[in-house]
Amino acid sequence: MDDDQVAATAGVPETSVTVGEVHGVRFTVAGEDSPDAEAELLITGLFAHHPPDQRYGGALGRLDEALRGALHGLGRDHLFAGQRGETLLLSAPPASIAARAVLLVGLGELDDWNTEAAAAVAASAMRETLLLGVASVRFAPWLQDGGLTAAATRGTAAAMLAGARRMLEARPRGAPPPILRQWIFAPGLEWRDVTIQELRGAPAA
């Protein structure tokens, strides 16, 4: 499959596609979507004020099931509010999760979501990733599973890539290279309005 074919179905590419490399960290869009996909760290996002009587659907719901209802329980019990930039590390997930840990990142209020929020969330995720010192990450916010409409996800992919890159490039001059080597964006509808060429067109560091 060439780039044009991938871009035409950029929501869920059939194969993993590399979109850029910054400071030795390769950014890719995954070719499949599964909560148990291999990576040292799985990052997902939760919006604030999710109705306590409403279960998550789609991939986010499957992750919640794999975590034995932890995502739903954290919100219901007010242990994770989902405020933008808030983070919580689940360091010992069940064996059904391939990742060694799951990092929750707050997405803020549904009504406040925009490209600025998307960039800020990805920057927070990258900051925590660098602090944790892991080599591979799967970043899977699953925005629509969390309640966002398809229209509201437009521009999200490019903004998230920019936010993650900005945090990576903000490392102090002369700092040792990051342990991180692979950042995988999970596929999802938030990628449908962004072509692979546009992502690759971001200026290199």
Side-chain angles (χ1 to χ4, degrees), residues 122-204:
S124 294
M126 176 61 78
R127 182 189 64 242
E128 294 302 310
T129 293
L130 296 175
L131 290 173
L132 289 169
V134 297
S136 61
V137 167
R138 187 176 182 84
F139 182 61
W142 294 314
L143 300 173
Q144 294 190 37
D145 293 345
L148 206 63
T149 65
T153 64
R154 290 176 183 167
T156 289
M160 284 188 163
L161 178 63
R165 286 172 59 102
R166 184 174 67 245
M167 183 58 64
L168 183 58
E169 292 165 351
R171 296 167 53 256
R173 183 180 299 275
I179 295 174
L180 182 65
R181 287 292 174 267
Q182 184 79 22
W183 179 283
I184 305 166
F185 287 103
L189 293 176
E190 62 266 26
W191 293 94
R192 290 194 187 280
D193 296 313
V194 181
T195 67
I196 299 302
Q197 287 90 339
E198 285 173 328
L199 290 173
R200 285 182 172 170

Coordinates of all heavy atoms in Angstrom, one line a residue, residues 122-204:
A122 N -1.5 16.0 24.4 CA -0.4 15.2 23.9 C 0.9 15.7 24.5 O 1.8 14.8 24.8 CB -0.3 15.4 22.4
A123 N 1.1 17.0 24.8 CA 2.3 17.5 25.4 C 2.4 16.9 26.8 O 3.5 16.5 27.3 CB 2.3 19.0 25.4
S124 N 1.3 16.9 27.6 CA 1.3 16.3 28.9 C 1.6 14.8 28.9 O 2.4 14.3 29.7 CB -0.1 16.4 29.5 OG -0.4 17.8 29.8
A125 N 1.1 14.1 27.9 CA 1.4 12.7 27.7 C 2.9 12.5 27.4 O 3.5 11.6 28.0 CB 0.6 12.1 26.6
M126 N 3.5 13.3 26.6 CA 4.9 13.2 26.2 C 5.7 13.5 27.5 O 6.7 12.8 27.7 CB 5.2 14.1 25.1 CG 6.7 14.1 24.7 SD 7.4 12.4 24.2 CE 6.8 12.4 22.5
R127 N 5.4 14.5 28.2 CA 6.1 14.9 29.4 C 6.2 13.7 30.4 O 7.3 13.4 30.9 CB 5.5 16.1 30.1 CG 6.3 16.6 31.3 CD 5.5 17.7 32.1 NE 4.3 17.1 32.6 CZ 3.1 17.6 32.3 NH1 2.9 18.6 31.4 NH2 2.0 17.1 32.8
E128 N 5.1 13.1 30.7 CA 5.0 12.0 31.6 C 5.8 10.8 31.0 O 6.5 10.1 31.8 CB 3.6 11.6 31.9 CG 2.8 12.7 32.6 CD 3.4 13.0 34.0 OE1 3.8 12.1 34.7 OE2 3.6 14.2 34.2
T129 N 5.7 10.6 29.7 CA 6.4 9.5 29.1 C 7.9 9.6 29.3 O 8.6 8.7 29.7 CB 6.1 9.4 27.6 OG1 4.7 9.1 27.4 CG2 7.0 8.4 26.9
L130 N 8.4 10.8 29.1 CA 9.9 11.0 29.2 C 10.3 10.9 30.7 O 11.4 10.4 31.0 CB 10.2 12.4 28.7 CG 10.0 12.7 27.2 CD1 10.3 14.1 26.9 CD2 10.9 11.7 26.4
L131 N 9.5 11.3 31.6 CA 9.8 11.1 33.0 C 9.8 9.6 33.4 O 10.6 9.2 34.3 CB 8.8 11.9 33.9 CG 8.8 13.4 33.9 CD1 7.7 14.0 34.6 CD2 10.2 13.9 34.4
L132 N 8.9 8.8 32.8 CA 8.8 7.4 33.2 C 10.0 6.6 32.6 O 10.3 5.5 33.0 CB 7.5 6.8 32.7 CG 6.3 7.3 33.5 CD1 5.0 6.9 32.8 CD2 6.3 6.7 34.9
G133 N 10.6 7.1 31.5 CA 11.7 6.5 30.9 C 11.4 5.2 30.2 O 12.2 4.2 30.4
V134 N 10.4 5.1 29.5 CA 10.0 3.9 28.7 C 10.5 4.1 27.3 O 10.7 5.2 26.8 CB 8.5 3.7 28.7 CG1 8.0 3.4 30.2 CG2 7.7 4.8 28.1
A135 N 10.6 2.9 26.6 CA 11.1 3.0 25.2 C 10.0 3.0 24.2 O 10.3 3.5 23.0 CB 12.0 1.7 25.0
S136 N 8.8 2.5 24.5 CA 7.7 2.5 23.5 C 6.4 2.9 24.2 O 6.1 2.5 25.3 CB 7.7 1.1 22.9 OG 7.4 0.1 23.8
V137 N 5.6 3.6 23.4 CA 4.3 4.1 23.9 C 3.3 3.9 22.8 O 3.5 4.1 21.6 CB 4.4 5.6 24.2 CG1 3.1 6.2 24.4 CG2 5.3 5.8 25.4
R138 N 2.1 3.5 23.3 CA 0.9 3.6 22.4 C 0.0 4.6 22.9 O -0.5 4.5 24.0 CB 0.2 2.2 22.4 CG -0.9 2.1 21.3 CD -1.4 0.7 21.3 NE -2.5 0.5 20.3 CZ -2.3 0.3 19.0 NH1 -1.1 0.2 18.6 NH2 -3.3 0.1 18.2
F139 N -0.2 5.7 22.2 CA -1.1 6.8 22.6 C -2.4 6.7 22.0 O -2.6 6.8 20.7 CB -0.4 8.1 22.1 CG -1.1 9.4 22.6 CD1 -1.3 9.6 23.9 CD2 -1.6 10.3 21.6 CE1 -2.0 10.8 24.3 CE2 -2.3 11.4 22.0 CZ -2.5 11.7 23.3
A140 N -3.4 6.3 22.8 CA -4.7 6.0 22.3 C -5.8 6.7 23.1 O -6.4 6.2 24.0 CB -4.9 4.5 22.4
P141 N -6.1 8.0 22.7 CA -7.1 8.7 23.5 C -8.5 8.3 23.2 O -9.4 8.5 24.0 CB -6.9 10.2 23.0 CG -6.2 10.1 21.7 CD -5.4 8.8 21.8
W142 N -8.8 7.7 22.0 CA -10.1 7.1 21.7 C -11.2 8.2 22.0 O -12.1 8.0 22.8 CB -10.4 5.8 22.4 CG -9.5 4.7 21.9 CD1 -9.3 4.4 20.6 CD2 -8.8 3.8 22.7 NE1 -8.4 3.3 20.6 CE2 -8.1 2.9 21.9 CE3 -8.7 3.6 24.1 CZ2 -7.3 1.9 22.3 CZ3 -7.9 2.5 24.5 CH2 -7.2 1.7 23.6
L143 N -11.1 9.3 21.4 CA -11.9 10.5 21.8 C -13.4 10.3 21.6 O -14.2 10.6 22.4 CB -11.5 11.7 20.9 CG -10.0 12.1 21.1 CD1 -9.7 13.2 20.1 CD2 -9.8 12.6 22.5
Q144 N -13.8 9.6 20.5 CA -15.2 9.4 20.2 C -15.8 8.4 21.1 O -17.0 8.5 21.5 CB -15.4 9.1 18.7 CG -15.1 10.3 17.8 CD -15.5 10.0 16.4 OE1 -16.5 9.5 16.1 NE2 -14.7 10.5 15.5
D145 N -15.0 7.4 21.5 CA -15.5 6.4 22.5 C -15.8 7.1 23.9 O -16.6 6.7 24.6 CB -14.5 5.3 22.7 CG -14.3 4.5 21.5 OD1 -15.2 4.5 20.6 OD2 -13.3 3.7 21.4
G146 N -15.1 8.2 24.1 CA -15.2 9.0 25.3 C -16.4 10.0 25.3 O -16.7 10.6 26.3
G147 N -17.0 10.1 24.1 CA -18.2 11.0 24.0 C -18.1 12.2 23.0 O -19.0 12.9 22.8
L148 N -16.9 12.4 22.4 CA -16.7 13.5 21.5 C -17.4 13.1 20.1 O -17.4 12.0 19.7 CB -15.3 13.7 21.2 CG -14.8 15.2 20.8 CD1 -15.2 16.2 21.9 CD2 -13.3 15.2 20.6
T149 N -18.0 14.1 19.5 CA -18.6 13.9 18.2 C -17.5 13.8 17.1 O -16.4 14.3 17.3 CB -19.6 15.0 17.8 OG1 -18.8 16.2 17.6 CG2 -20.6 15.2 18.9
A150 N -17.8 13.2 16.0 CA -16.9 13.1 14.9 C -16.4 14.5 14.4 O -15.2 14.7 14.1 CB -17.5 12.3 13.7
A151 N -17.3 15.4 14.3 CA -17.0 16.7 13.8 C -16.0 17.4 14.7 O -15.1 18.2 14.3 CB -18.2 17.6 13.6
A152 N -16.1 17.2 16.0 CA -15.3 17.9 17.0 C -13.8 17.3 17.0 O -13.0 17.9 17.6 CB -15.9 17.7 18.4
T153 N -13.6 16.2 16.3 CA -12.2 15.7 16.3 C -11.4 16.2 15.2 O -10.2 15.9 15.1 CB -12.2 14.1 16.2 OG1 -12.8 13.8 14.9 CG2 -13.0 13.5 17.3
R154 N -11.9 17.1 14.3 CA -11.2 17.6 13.2 C -10.0 18.4 13.7 O -10.1 19.3 14.5 CB -12.1 18.4 12.3 CG -13.1 17.6 11.5 CD -14.1 18.4 10.7 NE -15.1 17.5 10.1 CZ -16.2 18.0 9.5 NH1 -16.4 19.3 9.5 NH2 -17.0 17.1 9.0
G155 N -8.9 18.2 13.1 CA -7.6 18.9 13.4 C -6.9 18.3 14.6 O -5.8 18.7 14.9
T156 N -7.5 17.3 15.2 CA -6.9 16.7 16.4 C -5.6 16.0 16.1 O -4.6 16.1 16.9 CB -7.9 15.6 17.0 OG1 -9.0 16.4 17.6 CG2 -7.2 14.8 18.1
A157 N -5.5 15.2 15.1 CA -4.3 14.5 14.8 C -3.1 15.3 14.6 O -2.0 15.1 15.3 CB -4.5 13.6 13.5
A158 N -3.2 16.4 13.8 CA -2.0 17.2 13.6 C -1.7 18.0 14.9 O -0.5 18.2 15.2 CB -2.4 18.2 12.4
A159 N -2.7 18.4 15.6 CA -2.4 19.1 16.9 C -1.7 18.3 17.9 O -0.8 18.7 18.6 CB -3.7 19.7 17.4
M160 N -2.2 17.0 18.0 CA -1.5 16.1 18.9 C -0.1 15.8 18.5 O 0.8 15.7 19.4 CB -2.3 14.8 19.1 CG -3.6 15.0 19.9 SD -4.4 13.4 20.2 CE -5.5 13.9 21.6
L161 N 0.1 15.6 17.3 CA 1.5 15.3 16.8 C 2.4 16.6 17.1 O 3.5 16.4 17.7 CB 1.5 15.1 15.3 CG 2.9 14.9 14.7 CD1 3.6 13.6 15.3 CD2 2.8 14.7 13.2
A162 N 1.8 17.8 16.9 CA 2.6 19.0 17.2 C 2.9 19.1 18.7 O 4.0 19.5 19.1 CB 1.8 20.2 16.7
G163 N 1.9 18.8 19.5 CA 2.1 18.9 21.0 C 3.1 18.0 21.5 O 4.0 18.4 22.3
A164 N 3.1 16.8 21.0 CA 4.0 15.8 21.4 C 5.5 16.1 21.0 O 6.4 16.1 21.8 CB 3.7 14.4 20.9
R165 N 5.6 16.6 19.7 CA 6.9 17.0 19.2 C 7.4 18.2 20.0 O 8.6 18.3 20.3 CB 6.7 17.4 17.7 CG 6.6 16.2 16.8 CD 6.2 16.7 15.4 NE 7.3 17.6 14.9 CZ 8.2 17.2 14.0 NH1 8.2 16.0 13.6 NH2 9.1 18.0 13.6
R166 N 6.5 19.2 20.3 CA 7.0 20.4 21.0 C 7.6 20.0 22.4 O 8.6 20.6 22.7 CB 5.8 21.3 21.2 CG 6.2 22.7 21.8 CD 5.0 23.6 21.8 NE 4.0 23.2 22.7 CZ 2.8 22.8 22.3 NH1 2.4 22.9 21.1 NH2 1.9 22.5 23.2
M167 N 7.0 19.1 23.1 CA 7.5 18.7 24.4 C 8.8 18.0 24.2 O 9.8 18.2 25.0 CB 6.5 17.8 25.1 CG 6.9 17.4 26.5 SD 7.2 18.8 27.6 CE 5.6 19.6 27.7
L168 N 8.9 17.1 23.2 CA 10.1 16.4 23.0 C 11.3 17.3 22.6 O 12.4 17.2 23.1 CB 9.9 15.4 21.8 CG 11.0 14.4 21.5 CD1 11.5 13.6 22.7 CD2 10.6 13.5 20.4
E169 N 11.0 18.3 21.8 CA 12.0 19.3 21.3 C 12.4 20.3 22.4 O 13.4 21.0 22.3 CB 11.5 20.0 20.1 CG 11.4 19.1 18.9 CD 10.6 19.7 17.8 OE1 10.0 20.7 18.0 OE2 10.5 19.1 16.7
A170 N 11.6 20.4 23.5 CA 11.8 21.3 24.6 C 12.9 20.8 25.6 O 13.2 21.5 26.6 CB 10.5 21.7 25.3
R171 N 13.4 19.6 25.4 CA 14.4 19.1 26.3 C 15.6 20.0 26.3 O 15.9 20.6 25.3 CB 14.8 17.7 25.9 CG 13.6 16.7 25.9 CD 13.9 15.4 25.2 NE 15.2 14.8 25.7 CZ 16.3 14.8 25.0 NH1 16.3 15.4 23.8 NH2 17.4 14.3 25.5
P172 N 16.2 20.2 27.5 CA 17.4 21.1 27.6 C 18.5 20.7 26.6 O 18.8 19.6 26.3 CB 17.9 20.9 29.0 CG 16.7 20.3 29.7 CD 16.0 19.5 28.7
R173 N 19.2 21.8 26.1 CA 20.3 21.5 25.1 C 21.4 20.8 25.9 O 21.7 21.0 27.0 CB 20.8 22.9 24.7 CG 22.0 22.8 23.6 CD 22.4 24.1 23.2 NE 21.4 24.9 22.6 CZ 21.1 24.8 21.3 NH1 21.8 24.0 20.5 NH2 20.1 25.6 20.8
G174 N 21.9 19.7 25.2 CA 22.9 18.9 25.8 C 22.4 17.8 26.7 O 23.2 17.0 27.2
A175 N 21.1 17.7 26.8 CA 20.5 16.6 27.6 C 20.8 15.3 26.9 O 20.8 15.2 25.6 CB 19.0 16.8 27.8
P176 N 20.9 14.2 27.6 CA 21.1 12.9 27.0 C 19.9 12.5 26.1 O 18.8 13.0 26.4 CB 21.3 11.9 28.1 CG 20.7 12.6 29.3 CD 20.9 14.0 29.1
P177 N 20.1 11.7 25.1 CA 18.9 11.4 24.3 C 17.9 10.6 25.1 O 18.2 9.9 26.0 CB 19.5 10.5 23.2 CG 20.8 10.0 23.8 CD 21.3 11.1 24.7
P178 N 16.6 10.8 24.7 CA 15.5 10.1 25.5 C 15.6 8.6 25.3 O 16.1 8.1 24.3 CB 14.2 10.7 24.9 CG 14.6 11.1 23.5 CD 16.1 11.6 23.6
I179 N 15.1 7.9 26.3 CA 15.1 6.4 26.2 C 14.0 6.1 25.2 O 14.1 5.1 24.5 CB 14.7 5.8 27.6 CG1 15.9 6.1 28.5 CG2 14.4 4.3 27.5 CD1 15.7 5.7 30.0
L180 N 13.0 6.9 25.1 CA 11.9 6.7 24.2 C 12.4 6.5 22.8 O 13.1 7.3 22.3 CB 10.9 7.8 24.3 CG 9.6 7.7 23.4 CD1 8.7 6.6 23.8 CD2 8.8 9.0 23.5
R181 N 11.9 5.5 22.1 CA 12.3 5.2 20.7 C 11.0 5.1 19.8 O 11.2 5.4 18.6 CB 13.1 3.9 20.6 CG 14.5 4.1 21.1 CD 15.3 5.0 20.2 NE 16.6 5.3 20.7 CZ 16.9 6.3 21.5 NH1 16.0 7.2 21.8 NH2 18.2 6.5 21.9
Q182 N 9.9 4.8 20.3 CA 8.7 4.6 19.4 C 7.5 5.2 20.1 O 7.1 4.8 21.2 CB 8.5 3.1 19.2 CG 7.4 2.7 18.3 CD 7.8 2.8 16.8 OE1 8.9 2.8 16.5 NE2 6.8 3.0 16.0
W183 N 6.8 6.0 19.4 CA 5.6 6.6 19.8 C 4.5 6.3 18.8 O 4.6 6.7 17.6 CB 5.7 8.2 19.9 CG 4.5 8.9 20.3 CD1 3.4 9.2 19.5 CD2 4.2 9.4 21.6 NE1 2.4 9.9 20.3 CE2 2.9 10.0 21.5 CE3 4.9 9.5 22.8 CZ2 2.3 10.7 22.6 CZ3 4.3 10.1 23.9 CH2 3.0 10.7 23.8
I184 N 3.5 5.5 19.2 CA 2.5 4.9 18.2 C 1.2 5.6 18.5 O 0.6 5.5 19.6 CB 2.4 3.4 18.4 CG1 3.7 2.7 18.3 CG2 1.4 2.9 17.4 CD1 3.7 1.3 18.8
F185 N 0.7 6.3 17.5 CA -0.7 6.9 17.6 C -1.6 5.8 17.2 O -1.6 5.2 16.1 CB -0.8 8.1 16.6 CG -0.1 9.3 17.1 CD1 1.1 9.7 16.5 CD2 -0.7 10.1 18.1 CE1 1.7 10.9 16.9 CE2 0.0 11.3 18.5 CZ 1.1 11.7 17.9
A186 N -2.6 5.4 18.1 CA -3.6 4.5 17.7 C -4.5 5.0 16.6 O -4.8 6.2 16.6 CB -4.5 4.1 19.0
P187 N -4.9 4.2 15.7 CA -5.8 4.7 14.7 C -7.2 5.1 15.3 O -7.6 4.6 16.3 CB -6.0 3.5 13.7 CG -5.7 2.3 14.6 CD -4.7 2.8 15.6
G188 N -7.9 5.9 14.6 CA -9.2 6.3 15.1 C -9.8 7.4 14.2 O -9.1 7.9 13.3
L189 N -11.1 7.7 14.4 CA -11.7 8.6 13.5 C -11.1 10.0 13.5 O -11.3 10.8 12.6 CB -13.2 8.7 13.8 CG -14.0 7.4 13.5 CD1 -15.5 7.5 14.0 CD2 -14.0 7.1 12.0
E190 N -10.4 10.3 14.6 CA -9.8 11.6 14.7 C -8.7 11.8 13.7 O -8.2 12.9 13.5 CB -9.3 11.9 16.1 CG -8.2 11.0 16.6 CD -8.7 9.8 17.4 OE1 -9.9 9.4 17.2 OE2 -8.0 9.2 18.2
W191 N -8.3 10.7 13.0 CA -7.2 10.8 12.0 C -7.8 11.0 10.6 O -7.1 11.2 9.7 CB -6.4 9.6 12.0 CG -5.6 9.5 13.3 CD1 -5.9 8.8 14.4 CD2 -4.3 10.1 13.6 NE1 -4.9 9.0 15.4 CE2 -3.9 9.8 14.9 CE3 -3.5 11.0 12.8 CZ2 -2.8 10.3 15.5 CZ3 -2.3 11.4 13.4 CH2 -2.0 11.1 14.7
R192 N -9.1 10.9 10.4 CA -9.7 10.8 9.1 C -9.5 12.1 8.3 O -9.4 12.0 7.0 CB -11.2 10.4 9.1 CG -11.4 9.0 9.6 CD -12.8 8.6 9.3 NE -13.1 7.2 9.8 CZ -12.7 6.1 9.3 NH1 -12.0 6.1 8.1 NH2 -13.0 4.9 9.8
D193 N -9.4 13.2 8.9 CA -9.3 14.5 8.2 C -7.8 14.9 8.0 O -7.6 16.0 7.6 CB -10.1 15.6 8.9 CG -11.6 15.3 8.9 OD1 -12.1 14.9 7.9 OD2 -12.2 15.3 10.0
V194 N -6.9 14.0 8.4 CA -5.5 14.4 8.2 C -4.8 13.3 7.4 O -4.9 12.2 7.6 CB -4.8 14.4 9.6 CG1 -3.3 14.8 9.5 CG2 -5.5 15.4 10.5
T195 N -4.2 13.8 6.3 CA -3.5 12.8 5.4 C -2.1 12.5 6.0 O -1.5 13.3 6.7 CB -3.4 13.4 4.0 OG1 -2.5 14.5 4.0 CG2 -4.7 13.8 3.5
I196 N -1.6 11.4 5.6 CA -0.2 11.0 6.0 C 0.8 12.1 5.5 O 1.7 12.4 6.1 CB 0.2 9.6 5.4 CG1 -0.8 8.6 6.0 CG2 1.6 9.3 5.7 CD1 -0.8 8.5 7.5
Q197 N 0.5 12.6 4.2 CA 1.4 13.6 3.7 C 1.5 14.9 4.6 O 2.5 15.5 4.8 CB 1.0 14.0 2.3 CG 1.3 13.0 1.3 CD 0.2 12.0 1.1 OE1 -0.7 11.8 2.0 NE2 0.1 11.3 0.0
E198 N 0.3 15.3 5.1 CA 0.3 16.5 6.0 C 1.1 16.2 7.3 O 1.8 17.1 7.8 CB -1.2 16.8 6.3 CG -1.9 17.5 5.2 CD -3.4 17.7 5.5 OE1 -4.0 16.8 6.2 OE2 -3.9 18.6 5.0
L199 N 0.9 15.0 7.8 CA 1.7 14.7 9.0 C 3.2 14.7 8.8 O 4.0 15.2 9.5 CB 1.2 13.4 9.6 CG -0.2 13.3 10.2 CD1 -0.6 11.9 10.6 CD2 -0.3 14.2 11.4
R200 N 3.6 14.1 7.6 CA 5.0 14.0 7.3 C 5.5 15.4 6.9 O 6.7 15.6 7.0 CB 5.2 13.1 6.1 CG 5.1 11.6 6.6 CD 5.3 10.7 5.4 NE 5.4 9.3 5.9 CZ 5.4 8.3 5.0 NH1 5.3 8.4 3.8 NH2 5.5 7.1 5.5
G201 N 4.6 16.3 6.6 CA 5.1 17.7 6.2 C 5.5 18.5 7.3 O 6.0 19.6 7.1
A202 N 5.3 18.1 8.6 CA 5.7 18.9 9.8 C 7.2 19.1 9.7 O 7.9 18.1 9.4 CB 5.2 18.2 11.0
P203 N 7.7 20.3 10.0 CA 9.2 20.5 9.9 C 9.9 19.6 10.9 O 9.5 19.4 12.0 CB 9.3 22.0 10.3 CG 8.1 22.3 11.0 CD 7.0 21.5 10.4
A204 N 11.0 19.1 10.4 CA 11.8 18.2 11.3 C 12.7 19.1 12.3 O 13.0 20.2 12.0 CB 12.8 17.4 10.4

